[in-house]
Amino acid sequence: MAHSQTIGFIGFGAMACRMAAHLKQAGYGIIAYTPSGKGGDGSVSFLPAPADVARNADIVLVCVPDDEALAASMYGENGALSGIKKGALLLNTSSVSPEATTRLYESGQASGAVVIDCPVSGSTPEADKGALVVLAGGTDEELARAKPVFDIIGKITIHAGPAGSGARLKLVINAIMGAGLAAVAEGIAYGLAAGLDRSMLFDALDNVAVISPHHKRKILAAKNGDFSPQFPARLMQKDMRLFVDAAAREAVPVPTLAAVTQQLSLTKRASPDSDYSALIGIMEHMTANDA
């Protein structure tokens, strides 16, 4: 089915370029902005500022790494909101804080845009397949407008609630994911220190029900020493930090996840651009050094 609309990407990294490929195949026009002014495979037109993208797009899709990048690309004379069309959709797929999400929603309303927070659950393999899970916050009517896009980049859309709910749900999901990986890393470290055969241990964990499919994928990569980034450690550490801060604002005690955040800080410090599962390798290295 062909589409006459143009989607303007703000940020065009590993996830965004994969989403854009599916949308382009579906017939959408694609333009983009990145701070470097380049990206992708040469088939996408890159414009010099976020405002230029917004002026030339019917839908703006934002996919940036953190609160600071979101603020830099949305506000000011060159920010997307200064050029966005009245009534245009602004889809924020970035994993950012609830506070940054609220600010963008309110600023978008003031500019006449329809802002939906819609971070996605899944890594580059899911993005390649168009099988992300979209976590959307907004009204039924707003999500209905965005549904054609969501149906192309994702396998399911979860309506998390009113504006801001998608961002909050994403923090919950990633916090649980990070905690699970830390438990796997610690369990493997103990098993190796206790003398279990390495291949047997990794293979055993691949065959038990208590390990999620996501973490089984990480275990297989760690067995092979492959920590190429599907979800970089620097981004996972950021999400864990955002979760702990958000929980503190609600006076919710999260001691386990606070400790996991420290482990992911270690992983970020050691290898920021490796996959966050590099924590398994770090723990294994510590165990080997103790042997």
Side-chain angles (χ1 to χ4, degrees):
M1 175 182 177
H3 296 272
S4 60
Q5 292 181 307
T6 295
I7 299 179
F9 277 77
I10 307 294
F12 208 72
M15 294 293 287
C17 69
R18 288 167 166 83
M19 289 189 277
H22 289 292
L23 291 163
K24 187 173 184 179
Q25 186 176 26
Y28 285 98
I30 303 294
I31 56 176
Y33 163 82
T34 64
S36 66
K38 59 184 179 180
D41 59 4
S43 64
V44 174
S45 296
F46 284 81
L47 302 186
D52 297 318
V53 170
R55 289 188 192 101
N56 290 281
D58 303 293
I59 300 169
V60 176
L61 193 152
V62 188
C63 190
V64 296
D66 51 35
D67 287 18
E68 293 77 16
L70 184 68
S73 61
M74 292 294 105
Y75 308 114
E77 62 178 352
N78 292 318
L81 289 179
S82 71
I84 201 160
K85 300 173 182 177
K86 298 291 184 183
L89 275 178
L90 194 160
L91 307 178
N92 182 24
T93 68
S94 315
S95 297
V96 294
S97 70
E99 292 74 29
T101 301
T102 298
R103 181 189 177 194
L104 180 58
Y105 175 74
E106 293 175 347
S107 299
Q109 281 192 313
S111 298
V114 176
V115 179
I116 301 175
D117 54 295
C118 49
V120 295
S121 182
S123 298
T124 51
E126 288 77 24
D128 276 328
K129 299 172 185 174
L132 296 165
V133 176
V134 181
L135 314 170
T139 66
D140 289 336
E141 293 78 12
E142 290 166 344
L143 266 62
R145 284 190 60 190
K147 186 177 185 298
V149 174
F150 293 161
D151 286 350
I152 291 167
I153 66 173
K155 65 179 181 180
I156 187 173
T157 297
I158 296 173
H159 188 177
S165 300
R168 290 170 172 83
L169 179 57
K170 178 62 184 292
L171 292 184
V172 172
I173 291 169
N174 279 18
I176 293 170
M177 183 168 67
L181 191 281
V184 166
E186 292 181 1
I188 288 173
Y190 162 75
L192 296 173
L196 293 177
D197 177 78
R198 185 180 187 276
S199 291
M200 180 282 299
L201 175 59
F202 280 84
D203 290 345
L205 294 176
D206 188 50
N207 284 286
V208 294
V210 296
I211 308 293
S212 74
H214 171 82
H215 290 117
K216 286 184 178 182
R217 189 167 74 201
K218 300 303 182 185
I219 290 168
L220 177 61
K223 179 184 178 183
N224 297 325
D226 178 10
F227 299 109
S228 53
Q230 295 180 349
F231 189 0
R234 58 185 168 80
L235 296 183
M236 174 55 96
Q237 188 269 354
K238 176 263 301 181
D239 286 354
M240 297 298 298
R241 172 175 56 81
L242 291 178
F243 176 87
V244 171
D245 178 69
R249 291 174 186 270
E250 301 292 340
V252 176
V254 289
T256 299
L257 293 167
V260 170
T261 303
Q262 298 303 311
Q263 291 176 298
L264 269 298
S265 292
L266 170 66
T267 311
K268 176 184 175 182
R269 178 68 63 176
S271 193
D273 293 318
S274 294
D275 193 80
Y276 84 104
S277 59
L279 177 59
I280 298 173
I282 291 170
M283 297 291 288
E284 179 174 1
H285 182 69
M286 291 171 57
T287 302
N289 285 346
D290 290 342

